[in-house]
């Protein structure tokens, strides 16, 4: 009877212990899943053992393992690739210059075609009587170096009614007053075929092409006859000749993350590691465990009329590793930048991305 009692008590104790373990074990596992685990520094084996609903933290953010994997897949599917042409520095600058030249020439050709049908010898309109030269209108509101066939309208410019004055200089000169060397620049007359257009009410002039080291500013147009009589001033906007440049890494203040075991934010390089003059910077991070970081590129305010023209980004990171670039679309109003690049490396992976920043501004002036 005593033996039976002891066996009964041992059975109860064993059952209670088994029941307790069966409850405590799941509770312990649930408690472990409830406590968020920091993703940075996890090995692949440690990460793979985590359940899908395991709470995690990544750079201070809360998410689950499933959320993290979905986020990585989404970033890979939305890979942000290079925009713009891949040209060497000389070709890029030459392309810009040719584009600017073509734009000016297209305007010149359009004005020439329009004027040829209007300006014929002896076809000038009857001039309104003026005591002296008077400007009443100009063909454009903005004047640029290299523009041709620009018409000044007015009266009293010094020729007989309905006939052009002879000679390339006419009965006087046209000057543009502004921030030019000497305070003004002479505007030569525009020849159409074999005569120059200087009527009593119409003068056609060219804008000299070689005006460098100038910024955009307000200028004043004036006609001065050879008898010394001067016209009124006609206000215009002067647009400086422009040039383009690739920014260097040294132009930026760079905060390069050291979250991985290997971290480099250096001048632009090719895939073979040679210097690349079409890129501002090449960034590389590598790690054996899961790591994440942020690189920041900051550019102080551009000066002297310079602004951003173009920006390119190329991501060539290892599979599953990803970088999220900033949303950056430069325009004529973009004078500075503070750009953050967030990246994540998954287990024996690496991040590699290249950036290029092009700016445009007046010839002869620095952007700093």
């Amino acid at each position: 009877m005593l033996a039976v009692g002891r066996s009964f008590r041992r059975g109860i104790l064993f059952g209670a212990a088994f029941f307790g373990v069966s409850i405590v074990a799941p509770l312990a596992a649930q408690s472990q899943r409830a406590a968020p685990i920091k993703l940075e520094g996890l090995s692949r084996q440690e990460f793979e053992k985590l359940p899908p609903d395991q709470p995690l933290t990544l750079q201070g953010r809360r998410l689950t393992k499933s959320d993290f994997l979905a986020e990585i897949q989404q970033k890979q599917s939305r890979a942000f690739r290079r925009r713009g042409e891949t040209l060497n520095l000389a070709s890029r600058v030459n392309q810009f210059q040719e584009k600017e030249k073509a734009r000016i020439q297209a305007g010149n050709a359009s004005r020439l075609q329009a004027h040829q049908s209007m300006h014929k010898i002896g076809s000038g309109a009857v001039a309104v009587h003026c005591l002296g030269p008077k400007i009443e209108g100009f063909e454009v509101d903005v004047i640029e170096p290299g523009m041709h066939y620009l018409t000044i309208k007015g009266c009293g410019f010094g020729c007989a009614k309905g006939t052009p004055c002879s000679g390339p200089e006419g009965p006087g000169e046209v000057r543009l007053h502004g921030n030019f060397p000497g305070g003004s620049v002479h505007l030569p007359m525009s020849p159409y075929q074999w005569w120059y257009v200087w009527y009593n009410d119409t003068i056609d002039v060219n804008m000299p092409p070689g005006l460098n080291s100038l910024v955009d500013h307000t200028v004043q147009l004036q006609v001065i006859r050879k008898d010394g009589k001067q016209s009124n001033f006609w206000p215009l906007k002067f647009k400086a000749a422009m040039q383009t440049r690739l920014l260097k890494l040294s132009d930026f203040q760079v905060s390069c993350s050291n979250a991985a075991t290997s971290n480099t934010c250096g001048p632009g390089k090719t895939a073979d590691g040679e210097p690349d003059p079409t890129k501002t910077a090449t960034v590389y991070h590598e790690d054996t465990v899961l790591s994440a970081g942020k690189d920041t590129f900051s550019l102080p305010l551009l000066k002297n009329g310079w602004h951003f023209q173009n920006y390119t980004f190329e991501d060539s990171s290892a599979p599953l590793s990803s970088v999220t670039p900033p949303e950056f679309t430069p325009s004529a109003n973009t004078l500075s930048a503070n750009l953050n690049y967030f990246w994540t490396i998954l287990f024996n992976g690496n991040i590699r991305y290249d950036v290029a920043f092009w700016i445009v501004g007046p010839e002869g002036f620095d952007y700093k």
Side-chain angles (χ1 to χ4, degrees), residues 243-264:
Q243 62 177 325
T244 185
R245 290 186 187 179
L246 174 71
L247 286 174
K248 300 177 182 179
L249 183 62
S250 57
D251 293 316
F252 288 85
Q253 296 176 358
V254 182
S255 174
C256 188
S257 174
N258 61 357
T261 55
S262 177
N263 306 278
T264 303

Side-chain angles (χ1 to χ4, degrees), residues 36 64 72 91-92 133 141 144 153 179-180 205 214 235 248 294 303 314 333 359:
T64 65
I72 292 297
S91 297
R92 184 64 180 258
D141 296 323
E144 301 180 61
K153 286 294 187 180
N179 298 331
F180 307 107
V205 293
L214 298 168
K248 300 177 182 179
K294 177 182 72 172
K303 299 179 180 179
E314 183 178 18
N333 297 321
I359 59 173

